[in-house]
Amino acid sequence: TLGLGPAYTPIDHLLKGPSAMATSSSLPLAASPAVLIDLRLGSYDPNRQDADATSAVKAQYVTNGARVRKTLFSGSPELRRLRGHMAAWRVAHYAITAPYVTDGARVLARTAIALYNEKFNTYLARLNDLKAEFRARYTSLIEADKKALGALYRESDYPKDPDTILSRFYASKRFMPINNPADLLHLQVDLGENVEELRHELEVSIRGSFRASQFNVWDRIGVALQGISSTLGDSRTNIKEATLANLKALVETAPLILVYHDEKLVELCAQITTRLATITQPMLKASGPGSVREAFLENLRDWYLVVDREKTNWIPDQAALDADESALKALQQQQIDKAPAEPAP
């Protein structure tokens, strides 16, 4: 099993410095270890409501609740592959990023930028290949829909140029820096004494996002280990080769997507990688005492105990939240104390 070592304060470990809990201003945000990545993915929805057929049904049955819907290109494997590719792309994006305080953009560790760009370019190249396949068969796909849809076929549903449809499949990315609370200092003139309060609020938000990012990576590993343990714990089920491959890919990627270096996670991932190199899916079929399956199951349980303990270090506990709230109230009180007295009426 992985040695847990001495206990440590969560934020101390995160910042690798003493007394990091003293003030939020001690956070190393001047040189942020992460950036924000905003990924925009588009896809084409082949589902349509047929207005003419809907009107005919409403007139025949005297009802306003009827809707006649149809699916274009329902027999097209090319379109299914395109839509599936975009869904897989989004999953890959989520796999190496973590949530941020705002919706949309996500946290990406600086150490993972090269990996992210590599994956982006790979998915983009595959998207262009899939578009070419659809474009080449566009005319025959329309002919197939004429037969499949019958009276619901409408020529107006099909643009003459297939790129009108293919333009709905798109991808764009934008890297953005994470705001440094110190940047608020130049607003001193406009904001007056309130700048310190705003700086504190921003620090708290960013610190919470970074902590959540670390927790997110630990939690992903824990979920994977728990799922495999559940499968192997039932002698009636067998593990799939793809499941082992996914675990291997996860532990190889996890250290790269950490916002802050975490030696314990790096060590755990190295142990899992080494162990996976010694086993194959067929070796895990037989169960019972002394089997490879039982030994690996024990490994999984030990690793999960480590994850379960370590990930809690990244959850904002109530004491930390109370400390943040107290500090904010103290700042607000300072503004009140410094405010000029109201002139007597």
Short mmCIF file of all heavy atoms in Angstrom, two decimals, residues 195-259:
data_model
loop_
_atom_site.label_atom_id
_atom_site.label_comp_id
_atom_site.label_asym_id
_atom_site.label_seq_id
_atom_site.Cartn_x
_atom_site.Cartn_y
_atom_site.Cartn_z
N VAL A 195 -11.27 48.44 -2.82
CA VAL A 195 -10.45 47.56 -3.64
C VAL A 195 -9.92 46.37 -2.84
O VAL A 195 -9.83 45.26 -3.35
CB VAL A 195 -9.28 48.34 -4.27
CG1 VAL A 195 -8.29 48.81 -3.21
CG2 VAL A 195 -8.58 47.49 -5.32
N GLU A 196 -9.58 46.58 -1.56
CA GLU A 196 -9.05 45.49 -0.75
C GLU A 196 -10.11 44.41 -0.53
O GLU A 196 -9.81 43.22 -0.56
CB GLU A 196 -8.56 46.04 0.59
CG GLU A 196 -7.93 44.98 1.50
CD GLU A 196 -6.67 44.38 0.93
OE1 GLU A 196 -6.07 44.99 0.03
OE2 GLU A 196 -6.27 43.28 1.39
N GLU A 197 -11.33 44.83 -0.34
CA GLU A 197 -12.42 43.88 -0.16
C GLU A 197 -12.63 43.05 -1.43
O GLU A 197 -12.80 41.84 -1.37
CB GLU A 197 -13.70 44.62 0.20
CG GLU A 197 -14.90 43.71 0.43
CD GLU A 197 -16.13 44.49 0.81
OE1 GLU A 197 -15.99 45.53 1.48
OE2 GLU A 197 -17.24 44.06 0.44
N LEU A 198 -12.60 43.71 -2.58
CA LEU A 198 -12.77 43.00 -3.85
C LEU A 198 -11.61 42.05 -4.10
O LEU A 198 -11.80 40.93 -4.60
CB LEU A 198 -12.88 44.00 -5.00
CG LEU A 198 -14.16 44.84 -5.02
CD1 LEU A 198 -14.08 45.88 -6.13
CD2 LEU A 198 -15.37 43.94 -5.23
N ARG A 199 -10.40 42.49 -3.77
CA ARG A 199 -9.23 41.62 -3.95
C ARG A 199 -9.37 40.36 -3.11
O ARG A 199 -9.09 39.25 -3.57
CB ARG A 199 -7.94 42.37 -3.56
CG ARG A 199 -6.67 41.55 -3.80
CD ARG A 199 -5.46 42.27 -3.24
NE ARG A 199 -5.54 42.36 -1.79
CZ ARG A 199 -5.25 41.35 -0.96
NH1 ARG A 199 -4.89 40.18 -1.44
NH2 ARG A 199 -5.36 41.50 0.34
N HIS A 200 -9.85 40.54 -1.89
CA HIS A 200 -10.02 39.39 -1.00
C HIS A 200 -11.07 38.43 -1.56
O HIS A 200 -10.87 37.21 -1.58
CB HIS A 200 -10.46 39.87 0.38
CG HIS A 200 -10.76 38.76 1.33
ND1 HIS A 200 -9.79 38.10 2.05
CD2 HIS A 200 -11.95 38.16 1.67
CE1 HIS A 200 -10.36 37.15 2.79
NE2 HIS A 200 -11.66 37.17 2.57
N GLU A 201 -12.17 38.96 -2.06
CA GLU A 201 -13.22 38.11 -2.60
C GLU A 201 -12.71 37.31 -3.81
O GLU A 201 -13.04 36.13 -3.98
CB GLU A 201 -14.42 38.95 -3.01
CG GLU A 201 -15.18 39.54 -1.82
CD GLU A 201 -16.37 40.38 -2.25
OE1 GLU A 201 -16.51 40.60 -3.48
OE2 GLU A 201 -17.13 40.82 -1.39
N LEU A 202 -11.91 37.97 -4.65
CA LEU A 202 -11.37 37.29 -5.82
C LEU A 202 -10.41 36.18 -5.41
O LEU A 202 -10.42 35.09 -5.97
CB LEU A 202 -10.67 38.30 -6.73
CG LEU A 202 -10.06 37.73 -8.02
CD1 LEU A 202 -11.12 37.02 -8.85
CD2 LEU A 202 -9.41 38.85 -8.83
N GLU A 203 -9.57 36.46 -4.42
CA GLU A 203 -8.63 35.44 -3.94
C GLU A 203 -9.38 34.22 -3.41
O GLU A 203 -9.00 33.08 -3.68
CB GLU A 203 -7.75 36.01 -2.83
CG GLU A 203 -6.63 36.91 -3.35
CD GLU A 203 -5.70 37.35 -2.24
OE1 GLU A 203 -6.07 37.19 -1.05
OE2 GLU A 203 -4.60 37.83 -2.55
N VAL A 204 -10.43 34.46 -2.65
CA VAL A 204 -11.21 33.36 -2.09
C VAL A 204 -11.83 32.53 -3.21
O VAL A 204 -11.82 31.29 -3.17
CB VAL A 204 -12.31 33.90 -1.15
CG1 VAL A 204 -13.27 32.78 -0.75
CG2 VAL A 204 -11.68 34.51 0.10
N SER A 205 -12.34 33.19 -4.23
CA SER A 205 -12.96 32.47 -5.35
C SER A 205 -11.96 31.62 -6.09
O SER A 205 -12.20 30.45 -6.40
CB SER A 205 -13.62 33.46 -6.32
OG SER A 205 -14.69 34.14 -5.70
N ILE A 206 -10.79 32.21 -6.39
CA ILE A 206 -9.77 31.47 -7.14
C ILE A 206 -9.23 30.31 -6.31
O ILE A 206 -9.03 29.20 -6.81
CB ILE A 206 -8.64 32.41 -7.57
CG1 ILE A 206 -9.18 33.44 -8.56
CG2 ILE A 206 -7.49 31.63 -8.21
CD1 ILE A 206 -8.17 34.50 -8.96
N ARG A 207 -8.99 30.58 -5.03
CA ARG A 207 -8.49 29.51 -4.17
C ARG A 207 -9.47 28.35 -4.13
O ARG A 207 -9.09 27.19 -4.19
CB ARG A 207 -8.23 30.03 -2.75
CG ARG A 207 -7.67 28.96 -1.82
CD ARG A 207 -7.31 29.53 -0.46
NE ARG A 207 -8.47 30.05 0.25
CZ ARG A 207 -8.40 30.64 1.43
NH1 ARG A 207 -7.23 30.81 2.01
NH2 ARG A 207 -9.49 31.07 2.03
N GLY A 208 -10.76 28.68 -4.04
CA GLY A 208 -11.78 27.63 -4.02
C GLY A 208 -11.79 26.84 -5.32
O GLY A 208 -11.95 25.61 -5.31
N SER A 209 -11.61 27.52 -6.44
CA SER A 209 -11.59 26.82 -7.73
C SER A 209 -10.39 25.90 -7.85
O SER A 209 -10.51 24.78 -8.34
CB SER A 209 -11.57 27.84 -8.88
OG SER A 209 -12.79 28.53 -8.95
N PHE A 210 -9.23 26.38 -7.41
CA PHE A 210 -8.03 25.54 -7.49
C PHE A 210 -8.18 24.32 -6.59
O PHE A 210 -7.79 23.21 -6.94
CB PHE A 210 -6.80 26.34 -7.08
CG PHE A 210 -6.33 27.29 -8.14
CD1 PHE A 210 -5.24 28.11 -7.91
CD2 PHE A 210 -6.96 27.37 -9.36
CE1 PHE A 210 -4.79 28.99 -8.89
CE2 PHE A 210 -6.53 28.24 -10.35
CZ PHE A 210 -5.44 29.06 -10.11
N ARG A 211 -8.73 24.54 -5.39
CA ARG A 211 -8.92 23.42 -4.47
C ARG A 211 -9.90 22.41 -5.07
O ARG A 211 -9.69 21.19 -5.00
CB ARG A 211 -9.45 23.94 -3.13
CG ARG A 211 -9.50 22.85 -2.04
CD ARG A 211 -10.21 23.37 -0.80
NE ARG A 211 -9.43 24.37 -0.11
CZ ARG A 211 -9.82 25.62 0.08
NH1 ARG A 211 -10.98 26.02 -0.38
NH2 ARG A 211 -9.07 26.46 0.74
N ALA A 212 -10.97 22.91 -5.68
CA ALA A 212 -11.94 22.03 -6.32
C ALA A 212 -11.32 21.26 -7.48
O ALA A 212 -11.66 20.10 -7.73
CB ALA A 212 -13.14 22.83 -6.81
N SER A 213 -10.38 21.90 -8.18
CA SER A 213 -9.71 21.23 -9.29
C SER A 213 -8.89 20.05 -8.79
O SER A 213 -8.89 18.97 -9.39
CB SER A 213 -8.80 22.21 -10.03
OG SER A 213 -9.55 23.27 -10.59
N GLN A 214 -8.17 20.26 -7.69
CA GLN A 214 -7.38 19.16 -7.11
C GLN A 214 -8.29 18.02 -6.66
O GLN A 214 -8.03 16.84 -6.92
CB GLN A 214 -6.57 19.67 -5.92
CG GLN A 214 -5.55 20.74 -6.23
CD GLN A 214 -4.37 20.23 -7.03
OE1 GLN A 214 -4.22 20.57 -8.19
NE2 GLN A 214 -3.54 19.42 -6.44
N PHE A 215 -9.38 18.38 -6.00
CA PHE A 215 -10.34 17.37 -5.54
C PHE A 215 -10.89 16.60 -6.72
O PHE A 215 -11.06 15.37 -6.66
CB PHE A 215 -11.48 18.05 -4.78
CG PHE A 215 -12.59 17.12 -4.37
CD1 PHE A 215 -12.51 16.41 -3.18
CD2 PHE A 215 -13.70 16.94 -5.19
CE1 PHE A 215 -13.53 15.54 -2.81
CE2 PHE A 215 -14.72 16.07 -4.82
CZ PHE A 215 -14.63 15.37 -3.63
N ASN A 216 -11.17 17.30 -7.80
CA ASN A 216 -11.76 16.69 -8.99
C ASN A 216 -10.86 15.58 -9.54
O ASN A 216 -11.35 14.51 -9.93
CB ASN A 216 -12.00 17.77 -10.05
CG ASN A 216 -12.74 17.26 -11.26
OD1 ASN A 216 -12.13 16.77 -12.19
ND2 ASN A 216 -14.05 17.38 -11.24
N VAL A 217 -9.55 15.82 -9.58
CA VAL A 217 -8.63 14.80 -10.11
C VAL A 217 -8.59 13.58 -9.19
O VAL A 217 -8.67 12.44 -9.65
CB VAL A 217 -7.22 15.40 -10.27
CG1 VAL A 217 -6.23 14.32 -10.74
CG2 VAL A 217 -7.23 16.56 -11.27
N TRP A 218 -8.48 13.81 -7.90
CA TRP A 218 -8.50 12.70 -6.95
C TRP A 218 -9.81 11.92 -7.06
O TRP A 218 -9.81 10.68 -7.04
CB TRP A 218 -8.35 13.23 -5.51
CG TRP A 218 -6.95 13.47 -5.07
CD1 TRP A 218 -6.32 14.67 -4.92
CD2 TRP A 218 -5.99 12.48 -4.68
NE1 TRP A 218 -5.04 14.50 -4.49
CE2 TRP A 218 -4.81 13.16 -4.32
CE3 TRP A 218 -6.01 11.09 -4.60
CZ2 TRP A 218 -3.66 12.49 -3.88
CZ3 TRP A 218 -4.86 10.42 -4.18
CH2 TRP A 218 -3.71 11.12 -3.83
N ASP A 219 -10.91 12.64 -7.18
CA ASP A 219 -12.21 11.98 -7.20
C ASP A 219 -12.39 11.12 -8.45
O ASP A 219 -12.99 10.05 -8.39
CB ASP A 219 -13.32 13.04 -7.13
CG ASP A 219 -14.69 12.43 -6.84
OD1 ASP A 219 -14.79 11.67 -5.86
OD2 ASP A 219 -15.63 12.71 -7.58
N ARG A 220 -11.87 11.57 -9.58
CA ARG A 220 -11.97 10.77 -10.80
C ARG A 220 -11.28 9.41 -10.62
O ARG A 220 -11.79 8.38 -11.05
CB ARG A 220 -11.33 11.51 -11.97
CG ARG A 220 -12.09 12.73 -12.43
CD ARG A 220 -11.35 13.40 -13.58
NE ARG A 220 -11.87 14.73 -13.86
CZ ARG A 220 -11.32 15.58 -14.71
NH1 ARG A 220 -10.24 15.21 -15.38
NH2 ARG A 220 -11.85 16.76 -14.92
N ILE A 221 -10.10 9.45 -10.01
CA ILE A 221 -9.38 8.21 -9.78
C ILE A 221 -10.17 7.33 -8.82
O ILE A 221 -10.29 6.11 -9.02
CB ILE A 221 -7.97 8.49 -9.22
CG1 ILE A 221 -7.14 9.25 -10.27
CG2 ILE A 221 -7.27 7.20 -8.83
CD1 ILE A 221 -5.78 9.68 -9.78
N GLY A 222 -10.73 7.93 -7.77
CA GLY A 222 -11.51 7.16 -6.81
C GLY A 222 -12.71 6.50 -7.44
O GLY A 222 -13.01 5.33 -7.16
N VAL A 223 -13.42 7.21 -8.29
CA VAL A 223 -14.59 6.65 -8.97
C VAL A 223 -14.19 5.47 -9.85
O VAL A 223 -14.85 4.43 -9.87
CB VAL A 223 -15.30 7.73 -9.81
CG1 VAL A 223 -16.34 7.11 -10.73
CG2 VAL A 223 -15.95 8.77 -8.90
N ALA A 224 -13.06 5.60 -10.55
CA ALA A 224 -12.59 4.52 -11.42
C ALA A 224 -12.22 3.29 -10.60
O ALA A 224 -12.58 2.16 -10.95
CB ALA A 224 -11.40 4.99 -12.24
N LEU A 225 -11.49 3.50 -9.51
CA LEU A 225 -11.09 2.37 -8.67
C LEU A 225 -12.30 1.68 -8.05
O LEU A 225 -12.36 0.45 -7.98
CB LEU A 225 -10.15 2.86 -7.56
CG LEU A 225 -8.80 3.42 -8.00
CD1 LEU A 225 -8.04 3.95 -6.79
CD2 LEU A 225 -7.98 2.37 -8.72
N GLN A 226 -13.26 2.47 -7.61
CA GLN A 226 -14.46 1.92 -6.99
C GLN A 226 -15.26 1.10 -7.99
O GLN A 226 -15.79 0.03 -7.66
CB GLN A 226 -15.30 3.05 -6.41
CG GLN A 226 -16.31 2.60 -5.38
CD GLN A 226 -16.95 3.77 -4.66
OE1 GLN A 226 -17.16 4.83 -5.24
NE2 GLN A 226 -17.25 3.60 -3.38
N GLY A 227 -15.35 1.59 -9.23
CA GLY A 227 -16.11 0.87 -10.24
C GLY A 227 -15.47 -0.47 -10.58
O GLY A 227 -16.18 -1.49 -10.70
N ILE A 228 -14.15 -0.50 -10.70
CA ILE A 228 -13.46 -1.76 -11.01
C ILE A 228 -13.56 -2.72 -9.83
O ILE A 228 -13.75 -3.93 -10.00
CB ILE A 228 -11.99 -1.49 -11.38
CG1 ILE A 228 -11.94 -0.65 -12.66
CG2 ILE A 228 -11.23 -2.80 -11.57
CD1 ILE A 228 -10.55 -0.25 -13.07
N SER A 229 -13.45 -2.18 -8.62
CA SER A 229 -13.58 -3.03 -7.42
C SER A 229 -14.95 -3.68 -7.37
O SER A 229 -15.08 -4.86 -7.02
CB SER A 229 -13.36 -2.19 -6.16
OG SER A 229 -12.05 -1.71 -6.09
N SER A 230 -15.98 -2.91 -7.70
CA SER A 230 -17.33 -3.45 -7.69
C SER A 230 -17.48 -4.59 -8.70
O SER A 230 -18.11 -5.61 -8.40
CB SER A 230 -18.33 -2.33 -8.02
OG SER A 230 -19.64 -2.81 -8.06
N THR A 231 -16.87 -4.44 -9.86
CA THR A 231 -16.95 -5.48 -10.88
C THR A 231 -16.20 -6.73 -10.46
O THR A 231 -16.73 -7.85 -10.55
CB THR A 231 -16.38 -4.96 -12.22
OG1 THR A 231 -17.15 -3.83 -12.65
CG2 THR A 231 -16.44 -6.04 -13.29
N LEU A 232 -14.98 -6.56 -9.99
CA LEU A 232 -14.17 -7.72 -9.61
C LEU A 232 -14.68 -8.37 -8.33
O LEU A 232 -14.42 -9.54 -8.08
CB LEU A 232 -12.71 -7.30 -9.42
CG LEU A 232 -11.98 -6.84 -10.69
CD1 LEU A 232 -10.54 -6.46 -10.36
CD2 LEU A 232 -12.00 -7.93 -11.75
N GLY A 233 -15.39 -7.59 -7.51
CA GLY A 233 -15.93 -8.15 -6.27
C GLY A 233 -17.08 -9.10 -6.50
O GLY A 233 -17.45 -9.86 -5.60
N ASP A 234 -17.64 -9.09 -7.68
CA ASP A 234 -18.73 -10.00 -8.04
C ASP A 234 -18.16 -11.10 -8.93
O ASP A 234 -17.78 -10.84 -10.08
CB ASP A 234 -19.83 -9.23 -8.77
CG ASP A 234 -21.06 -10.08 -9.06
OD1 ASP A 234 -20.97 -11.33 -8.93
OD2 ASP A 234 -22.11 -9.51 -9.42
N SER A 235 -18.09 -12.31 -8.43
CA SER A 235 -17.48 -13.41 -9.16
C SER A 235 -18.22 -13.74 -10.46
O SER A 235 -17.69 -14.44 -11.32
CB SER A 235 -17.41 -14.66 -8.28
OG SER A 235 -18.70 -15.05 -7.86
N ARG A 236 -19.43 -13.24 -10.60
CA ARG A 236 -20.22 -13.53 -11.81
C ARG A 236 -19.88 -12.59 -12.97
O ARG A 236 -20.33 -12.80 -14.09
CB ARG A 236 -21.72 -13.42 -11.50
CG ARG A 236 -22.20 -14.38 -10.42
CD ARG A 236 -23.60 -14.00 -9.96
NE ARG A 236 -23.62 -12.66 -9.38
CZ ARG A 236 -24.72 -12.06 -8.93
NH1 ARG A 236 -25.89 -12.68 -9.02
NH2 ARG A 236 -24.66 -10.84 -8.42
N THR A 237 -19.10 -11.55 -12.70
CA THR A 237 -18.80 -10.57 -13.74
C THR A 237 -17.32 -10.55 -14.06
O THR A 237 -16.47 -10.88 -13.22
CB THR A 237 -19.23 -9.16 -13.30
OG1 THR A 237 -18.52 -8.80 -12.10
CG2 THR A 237 -20.72 -9.11 -13.04
N ASN A 238 -17.01 -10.18 -15.29
CA ASN A 238 -15.63 -10.06 -15.73
C ASN A 238 -15.33 -8.61 -16.13
O ASN A 238 -16.20 -7.90 -16.63
CB ASN A 238 -15.36 -10.98 -16.93
CG ASN A 238 -15.32 -12.44 -16.52
OD1 ASN A 238 -14.76 -12.79 -15.47
ND2 ASN A 238 -15.92 -13.30 -17.32
N ILE A 239 -14.10 -8.22 -15.90
CA ILE A 239 -13.68 -6.87 -16.26
C ILE A 239 -13.39 -6.82 -17.75
O ILE A 239 -12.95 -7.79 -18.35
CB ILE A 239 -12.43 -6.45 -15.45
CG1 ILE A 239 -12.24 -4.95 -15.47
CG2 ILE A 239 -11.19 -7.16 -15.95
CD1 ILE A 239 -13.21 -4.21 -14.61
N LYS A 240 -13.67 -5.68 -18.37
CA LYS A 240 -13.39 -5.52 -19.79
C LYS A 240 -11.99 -4.96 -20.01
O LYS A 240 -11.48 -4.21 -19.18
CB LYS A 240 -14.42 -4.57 -20.42
CG LYS A 240 -15.84 -5.11 -20.42
CD LYS A 240 -16.79 -4.12 -21.06
CE LYS A 240 -18.22 -4.65 -21.07
NZ LYS A 240 -19.17 -3.67 -21.67
N GLU A 241 -11.40 -5.34 -21.12
CA GLU A 241 -10.06 -4.84 -21.45
C GLU A 241 -10.07 -3.32 -21.55
O GLU A 241 -9.11 -2.65 -21.11
CB GLU A 241 -9.60 -5.45 -22.78
CG GLU A 241 -8.16 -5.11 -23.15
CD GLU A 241 -7.16 -5.76 -22.21
OE1 GLU A 241 -7.32 -6.95 -21.89
OE2 GLU A 241 -6.22 -5.04 -21.78
N ALA A 242 -11.15 -2.77 -22.10
CA ALA A 242 -11.24 -1.32 -22.25
C ALA A 242 -11.25 -0.62 -20.90
O ALA A 242 -10.73 0.50 -20.77
CB ALA A 242 -12.50 -0.96 -23.03
N THR A 243 -11.82 -1.25 -19.88
CA THR A 243 -11.87 -0.65 -18.55
C THR A 243 -10.47 -0.51 -17.97
O THR A 243 -10.12 0.52 -17.38
CB THR A 243 -12.75 -1.49 -17.61
OG1 THR A 243 -14.06 -1.62 -18.17
CG2 THR A 243 -12.86 -0.85 -16.23
N LEU A 244 -9.66 -1.54 -18.14
CA LEU A 244 -8.27 -1.48 -17.68
C LEU A 244 -7.49 -0.43 -18.46
O LEU A 244 -6.67 0.30 -17.88
CB LEU A 244 -7.60 -2.85 -17.83
CG LEU A 244 -8.17 -3.98 -16.96
CD1 LEU A 244 -7.47 -5.29 -17.29
CD2 LEU A 244 -8.03 -3.66 -15.48
N ALA A 245 -7.75 -0.35 -19.76
CA ALA A 245 -7.07 0.65 -20.59
C ALA A 245 -7.45 2.07 -20.16
O ALA A 245 -6.61 2.97 -20.13
CB ALA A 245 -7.41 0.43 -22.05
N ASN A 246 -8.71 2.26 -19.81
CA ASN A 246 -9.17 3.57 -19.37
C ASN A 246 -8.52 3.97 -18.05
O ASN A 246 -8.16 5.13 -17.84
CB ASN A 246 -10.69 3.58 -19.21
CG ASN A 246 -11.41 3.54 -20.54
OD1 ASN A 246 -10.84 3.85 -21.58
ND2 ASN A 246 -12.67 3.13 -20.53
N LEU A 247 -8.38 3.00 -17.14
CA LEU A 247 -7.72 3.29 -15.86
C LEU A 247 -6.25 3.66 -16.10
O LEU A 247 -5.73 4.60 -15.50
CB LEU A 247 -7.81 2.08 -14.93
CG LEU A 247 -7.08 2.21 -13.59
CD1 LEU A 247 -7.64 3.39 -12.78
CD2 LEU A 247 -7.19 0.92 -12.78
N LYS A 248 -5.61 2.94 -16.98
CA LYS A 248 -4.21 3.22 -17.31
C LYS A 248 -4.06 4.63 -17.88
O LYS A 248 -3.17 5.39 -17.47
CB LYS A 248 -3.68 2.19 -18.32
CG LYS A 248 -2.22 2.38 -18.72
CD LYS A 248 -1.77 1.24 -19.62
CE LYS A 248 -0.30 1.38 -20.00
NZ LYS A 248 -0.04 2.54 -20.86
N ALA A 249 -4.95 4.99 -18.80
CA ALA A 249 -4.90 6.32 -19.39
C ALA A 249 -5.16 7.40 -18.34
O ALA A 249 -4.53 8.46 -18.35
CB ALA A 249 -5.92 6.42 -20.52
N LEU A 250 -6.08 7.12 -17.42
CA LEU A 250 -6.42 8.09 -16.39
C LEU A 250 -5.24 8.37 -15.47
O LEU A 250 -4.91 9.54 -15.21
CB LEU A 250 -7.61 7.57 -15.56
CG LEU A 250 -8.01 8.41 -14.34
CD1 LEU A 250 -8.40 9.82 -14.76
CD2 LEU A 250 -9.15 7.73 -13.58
N VAL A 251 -4.58 7.33 -14.99
CA VAL A 251 -3.48 7.55 -14.03
C VAL A 251 -2.23 8.10 -14.72
O VAL A 251 -1.37 8.70 -14.07
CB VAL A 251 -3.15 6.26 -13.25
CG1 VAL A 251 -4.32 5.85 -12.38
CG2 VAL A 251 -2.75 5.12 -14.18
N GLU A 252 -2.13 7.89 -16.03
CA GLU A 252 -1.01 8.49 -16.76
C GLU A 252 -1.23 9.98 -16.99
O GLU A 252 -0.28 10.76 -17.02
CB GLU A 252 -0.82 7.78 -18.10
CG GLU A 252 -0.23 6.38 -17.98
CD GLU A 252 -0.14 5.66 -19.31
OE1 GLU A 252 -0.76 6.13 -20.29
OE2 GLU A 252 0.56 4.64 -19.38
N THR A 253 -2.49 10.36 -17.12
CA THR A 253 -2.83 11.76 -17.39
C THR A 253 -2.99 12.58 -16.12
O THR A 253 -2.66 13.77 -16.10
CB THR A 253 -4.14 11.83 -18.21
OG1 THR A 253 -3.99 11.06 -19.40
CG2 THR A 253 -4.48 13.26 -18.59
N ALA A 254 -3.48 11.98 -15.06
CA ALA A 254 -3.83 12.72 -13.83
C ALA A 254 -2.72 13.63 -13.31
O ALA A 254 -2.99 14.80 -12.99
CB ALA A 254 -4.27 11.73 -12.75
N PRO A 255 -1.46 13.16 -13.21
CA PRO A 255 -0.42 14.07 -12.69
C PRO A 255 -0.21 15.31 -13.56
O PRO A 255 0.22 16.35 -13.06
CB PRO A 255 0.83 13.19 -12.68
CG PRO A 255 0.31 11.78 -12.59
CD PRO A 255 -0.93 11.80 -13.43
N LEU A 256 -0.52 15.20 -14.85
CA LEU A 256 -0.31 16.32 -15.75
C LEU A 256 -1.36 17.41 -15.60
O LEU A 256 -1.11 18.58 -15.90
CB LEU A 256 -0.31 15.84 -17.21
CG LEU A 256 0.79 14.86 -17.61
CD1 LEU A 256 0.58 14.41 -19.05
CD2 LEU A 256 2.16 15.50 -17.45
N ILE A 257 -2.55 17.03 -15.14
CA ILE A 257 -3.65 17.99 -15.09
C ILE A 257 -3.86 18.57 -13.71
O ILE A 257 -4.82 19.31 -13.48
CB ILE A 257 -4.96 17.36 -15.62
CG1 ILE A 257 -5.42 16.21 -14.72
CG2 ILE A 257 -4.79 16.87 -17.04
CD1 ILE A 257 -6.75 15.61 -15.17
N LEU A 258 -2.96 18.26 -12.78
CA LEU A 258 -3.05 18.86 -11.45
C LEU A 258 -2.69 20.34 -11.52
O LEU A 258 -1.71 20.72 -12.16
CB LEU A 258 -2.08 18.17 -10.48
CG LEU A 258 -2.46 16.77 -9.99
CD1 LEU A 258 -1.30 16.18 -9.22
CD2 LEU A 258 -3.70 16.82 -9.12
N VAL A 259 -3.47 21.16 -10.87
CA VAL A 259 -3.13 22.57 -10.79
C VAL A 259 -1.89 22.77 -9.94
O VAL A 259 -0.99 23.52 -10.28
CB VAL A 259 -4.32 23.37 -10.21
CG1 VAL A 259 -3.91 24.81 -9.94
CG2 VAL A 259 -5.49 23.33 -11.19
#
